[in-house]
Amino acid sequence: ERASGRAEVEAERLSEVVSDMPTFHPDRDGLPCSKVYTVCGIRGEKEGWFPFNSIAKHCLDTGKCEIWPPEAAALSGDSACSWDGGTCVRAEPLFVPRAGALEEDDGYVLSTVHCSESMRTTLEVLDAKNFGAGPIQKIDLGELMGWNVHSSFEPSGAPI
C-alpha cells in the first residue's frame, strides 16, 4: 500500500553507447524486460552523435550490446575506425514479435535507412535473435524520403 503516493526509482547507465528511442517486445510494456533495441549515433569524438547512423540490441541481463552496421560496432569498441557514419541516417527501430513467439527477442527489428548518396530509402529487417548478422531483408521504398523519427506497429494489420 502506498499511503504517500510516492515510489522510488533507481537510475542506472546501461551502456556507453549513445542511444535513443528504445523499443522492446510490446508484451513487456510496463514490465521488466531484458532485450531493448535503440537507434544510435556512433562517430569519432569530434563528429558528435547526431544524426543517428546505427541501431543496437542491448541485453540488459548480460550487459552485452550488439551494434549494426559493423562499421559502427568497430568504432564503439576498442579498435580504431575511421568510419564517419556514412551517408545514411537511420530511424527509430521497431520490434515486431514473430507470430506465436514465446521468447522476448523472438521477432524482427525494423528500421528505415535514408541514404543521401543513393537518394533512396530502404526498410531493413533484422532477426532480433541473430541481430549481429545484419538484415535478413532489405526493401527498397523508393526515392529518398524525409527522415521519420517515430514508428508504430498494428498487429491486426488494420489501418492506423
Side-chain angles (χ1 to χ4, degrees):
E1 184 176 335
R2 294 186 326 179
S4 68
R6 294 178 177 243
E8 289 188 33
V9 176
E10 289 183 36
E12 176 184 349
R13 174 168 255 176
L14 303 176
S15 172
E16 295 300 316
V17 175
V18 177
S19 298
D20 199 359
M21 301 182 220
T23 186
F24 47 86
H25 194 298
D27 289 349
R28 303 304 304 163
D29 194 10
L31 301 170
C33 63
S34 63
K35 309 292 188 278
V36 177
Y37 307 89
T38 61
V39 66
C40 312
I42 299 175
R43 292 182 173 72
E45 286 182 31
K46 295 181 182 176
E47 288 85 21
W49 57 269
F50 191 82
F52 301 116
N53 59 5
S54 51
I55 53 178
K57 175 182 182 178
H58 303 269
C59 296
L60 305 182
D61 49 354
T62 65
K64 182 179 178 183
C65 177
E66 294 179 81
I67 300 169
W68 184 260
E71 298 87 351
L75 188 59
S76 70
D78 296 329
S79 61
C81 179
S82 61
W83 189 55
D84 64 359
T87 59
C88 295
V89 177
R90 291 178 181 270
E92 172 185 32
L94 176 67
F95 180 83
V96 178
R98 189 180 324 266
L102 298 177
E103 296 179 31
E104 193 175 330
D105 62 349
D106 190 3
Y108 307 95
V109 178
L110 286 64
S111 181
T112 53
V113 181
H114 306 264
C115 183
S116 62
E117 186 174 299
S118 68
M119 298 300 291
R120 308 293 291 174
T121 301
T122 305
L123 174 65
E124 289 189 350
V125 181
L126 291 85
D127 179 342
K129 283 186 166 293
N130 197 15
F131 187 87
I136 57 172
Q137 183 71 46
K138 291 183 180 185
I139 303 166
D140 184 355
L141 300 178
E143 66 183 46
L144 186 63
M145 299 178 201
W147 180 58
N148 61 319
V149 178
H150 299 296
S151 56
S152 61
F153 173 70
E154 170 52 50
S156 71
I160 296 177

